[in-house]
Amino acid sequence: MGETHSIEDRFQAFVEAENKVEPKHWMPDGYRKTLVRQISQHAHSEVVGMLPEANWITRAPSLRSKLILLAKVQDEAGHGLYLYSAAETLGTSRDEMIGDLLSGKAKYSSIFNYPTLTWADMGAIGWLVDGAAIANQVMLCRTSYGPYSRAMVRICKEESFHQRQGYEIMMTLAKGTPEQKEMAQDALNRWWWPSIMMFGPSDENSPNSAQSMKWRIKRKSNDELRQEFIDKTVPQAEFIGLTIPDPDLKWNEEKGQHDFGPINWEEFFQVIAGNGPCNAERLEARRKAHEEGAWVREAAAAYAQKQSARSASSAKSAQSSAA
Ligand code: FAQ
């Protein structure tokens, strides 16, 4: 008698063979649940992530920088839309996901709970936050869920433009007056550690990692990605003459990577528990935007209804004239 394989085993073999799982395929409940959690958290992060930058659109120092920042923030709205759509293919409605964000039940990235105090923060966000987002998202282009992986390919292309936008601001300030260089250094000092924390808890404290790696949802661990980001970013800071605020940071010849100092995990867990410097402000801004946007959603729904009624009646008349 031949070996019998459970449906779970066949699913596992399917993802290990680098096939993409599509919405109508069978998948374990846990796989679906993990994806909805991660993709919706990712979508919320893009949308909440617009807030710290939107704060600077009216104060950008030139028309050129205003246009670029505006385009970047619009891209983030688009990323939120692709991601909500990808999550919806798993059977959870956008209303439900947004409801969970607004009630405080769903998480979004810790990084967006820090304030943007100066124009240099636009540089630090693009350089470091988008830089960290790219490191994480390049591996997600190979995630096992088809709609998520395809959304990631497009998002990554736009994120690399964002990273350059930020680095250009930092480079300009670092080459400017001593006050401007100081502003860039101050932004790096404030954004470095929160960016390092974006990758999530260390591998031994990451409850979801083992299963997500097994299902090929995540392709690299939180610590691996954090290390790659640090190794890539340190020379970029050196190139523009800025100092990374970590006295323990040094090149380890033997390992071929940088050693770095201890991460303040207490701060990270406080921020994701809702107690960061701007958590309340961010959620309040999203709730207000949701309420004020109600008429747009109603108008769009009414328009869609009118269009579908119109196409149903024209299909009916085409049918009767053909008869
Ligand atoms: N913030 O077991 P793990 C961007 C939670 S997009 C808040 O390691 P997992 C673009 C985690 O959810 C940035 N919570 O979890 C942009 C879990 O809690 P739960 C967002 C965090 O899922 C740039 C718990 O801790 N990117 O920046 C964070 O395996 C500039 C245990 O953690 C994504 O979302 C955190 N940093 O790995 C926009 C990428 N880290 O849900 C505007 C997709 C962990 O069990 C301006 N997501 N937690 O209650 C992922 O790759 C993964 O979900 C990780 C976390 C790596 C974030």
Side-chain angles (χ1 to χ4, degrees):
M1 212 168 85
E3 248 183 279
T4 54
H5 293 287
S6 69
I7 192 161
E8 282 84 3
D9 290 343
R10 276 186 275 140
F11 178 83
Q12 188 58 38
F14 184 78
V15 293
E16 280 175 17
E18 295 297 326
N19 293 301
K20 294 288 179 224
V21 179
E22 297 297 338
K24 290 190 173 158
H25 290 167
W26 182 89
M27 61 186 87
D29 284 348
Y31 179 85
R32 187 184 299 275
K33 229 171 126 188
T34 300
L35 280 169
V36 171
R37 176 184 65 76
Q38 177 168 325
I39 304 173
S40 64
Q41 174 185 303
H42 195 166
H44 301 327
S45 304
E46 297 282 355
V47 172
V48 177
M50 294 161 76
L51 297 168
E53 294 177 313
N55 188 33
W56 281 89
I57 291 173
T58 52
R59 289 178 279 165
S62 66
L63 182 59
R64 178 182 179 272
S65 55
K66 193 191 288 279
L67 284 170
I68 296 174
L69 185 60
L70 198 57
K72 177 181 193 284
V73 173
Q74 283 175 345
D75 284 352
E76 281 146 12
H79 297 175
L81 290 179
Y82 313 151
L83 288 162
Y84 284 126
S85 302
E88 279 182 311
T89 64
L90 292 154
T92 303
S93 74
R94 191 176 305 198
D95 278 352
E96 194 182 328
M97 292 184 268
I98 292 177
D100 286 349
L101 169 70
L102 300 181
S103 71
K105 185 175 157 205
K107 292 190 172 73
Y108 58 87
S109 183
S110 50
I111 193 75
F112 302 117
N113 292 304
Y114 292 85
T116 44
L117 306 179
T118 73
W119 173 248
D121 289 16
M122 295 305 97
I125 289 182
W127 175 34
L128 303 174
V129 176
D130 285 280
I134 295 170
N136 167 274
Q137 289 168 11
V138 164
M139 69 104 179
L140 290 175
C141 293
R142 293 189 296 116
T143 194
S144 54
Y145 188 56
Y148 192 25
S149 89
R150 291 188 287 273
M152 278 300 123
V153 171
R154 182 156 174 187
I155 291 177
C156 281
K157 288 187 179 147
E158 292 174 352
E159 297 290 22
S160 42
F161 151 70
H162 297 174
Q163 197 269 352
R164 277 174 234 169
Q165 167 265 358
Y167 193 57
E168 187 197 47
I169 294 175
M170 292 306 258
M171 196 180 315
T172 308
L173 291 171
K175 277 196 306 203
T177 62
E179 289 80 5
Q180 286 170 326
K181 185 167 183 185
E182 182 48 42
M183 204 195 265
Q185 182 63 53
D186 171 62
L188 171 56
N189 293 349
R190 285 180 291 107
W191 289 92
W192 177 253
W193 288 106
S195 301
I196 297 300
M197 293 174 196
M198 266 179 85
F199 293 94
S202 57
D203 294 348
E204 68 268 24
N205 288 317
S206 164
N208 301 299
S209 275
Q211 185 61 67
S212 287
M213 300 272 284
K214 191 164 174 234
W215 276 329
R216 313 253 164 144
I217 292 174
K218 283 165 89 165
R219 310 301 306 251
K220 289 185 181 179
S221 79
N222 297 359
D223 285 334
E224 265 178 272
L225 289 169
R226 190 175 357 258
Q227 185 70 50
E228 274 181 18
F229 171 74
I230 292 172
D231 292 336
K232 190 180 76 179
T233 311
V234 170
Q236 295 172 351
E238 279 164 7
F239 183 72
I240 56 176
L242 297 180
T243 308
I244 298 215
D246 178 358
D248 298 323
L249 187 73
K250 60 173 185 309
W251 179 249
N252 183 323
E253 195 61 57
E254 211 173 295
K255 291 194 194 151
Q257 62 190 38
H258 290 87
D259 291 332
F260 54 94
I263 295 172
N264 183 348
W265 290 118
E266 171 59 20
E267 175 180 324
F268 172 76
F269 287 113
Q270 280 295 331
V271 173
I272 68 169
N275 305 319
C278 298
N279 294 61
E281 189 183 325
R282 300 289 183 242
L283 270 191
E284 196 41 48
R286 284 312 314 154
R287 285 188 191 120
K288 186 162 174 275
H290 192 72
E291 277 162 28
E292 289 175 357
W295 71 270
V296 180
R297 293 190 296 281
E298 281 161 23
Y303 181 73
Q305 211 167 25
K306 204 164 92 179
Q307 291 298 98
S308 70
R310 205 174 273 167
S311 61
S313 80
S314 61
K316 216 169 165 187
S317 62
Q319 238 173 21
S320 59
S321 61

